[in-house]
């Protein structure tokens, strides 16, 4: 995992939280929820390959 990935995740978190606050104050709570869900899915999309590599290395470690 690189440091740039951690910065990307942090940037998405800050951006999503600001957008959610703006949407909540304007009365669009449904859009705020969808924005936070989209941010979560984006971060999970970035992390899935690393999780896969982790499970593969554990599988090789125990020779399963």
């Amino acid at each position: 995992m690189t440091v740039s990935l951690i910065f990307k995740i942090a940037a998405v978190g800050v951006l999503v939280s600001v957008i959610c606050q703006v949407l909540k104050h304007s009365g669009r709570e449904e859009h705020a929820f969808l924005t936070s869900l989209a941010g979560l899915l984006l971060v999970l999309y970035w992390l899935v390959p690393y999780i896969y590599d982790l499970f593969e290395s554990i599988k090789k470690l125990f020779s399963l």
Side-chain angles (χ1 to χ4, degrees), residues 17-37:
S17 66
V18 168
I19 291 172
C20 285
Q21 289 299 319
V22 169
L23 288 172
K24 282 183 183 178
H25 286 292
S26 67
R28 297 185 174 163
E29 294 177 5
E30 298 88 11
H31 288 84
F33 173 74
L34 290 175
T35 302
S36 63
L37 185 63

Side-chain angles (χ1 to χ4, degrees), residues 1-61:
M1 184 181 303
T2 61
V3 176
S4 65
L5 180 66
I6 295 171
F7 286 135
K8 281 185 200 177
I9 293 170
V12 167
V14 169
L15 188 64
V16 165
S17 66
V18 168
I19 291 172
C20 285
Q21 289 299 319
V22 169
L23 288 172
K24 282 183 183 178
H25 286 292
S26 67
R28 297 185 174 163
E29 294 177 5
E30 298 88 11
H31 288 84
F33 173 74
L34 290 175
T35 302
S36 63
L37 185 63
L40 176 67
L41 290 175
L42 179 65
V43 169
L44 284 177
Y45 178 74
W46 287 337
L47 288 179
V48 164
Y50 294 104
I51 295 170
Y52 177 77
D53 290 340
L54 173 68
F55 283 123
E56 285 296 315
S57 64
I58 290 172
K59 188 174 158 181
K60 286 180 185 175
L61 181 67

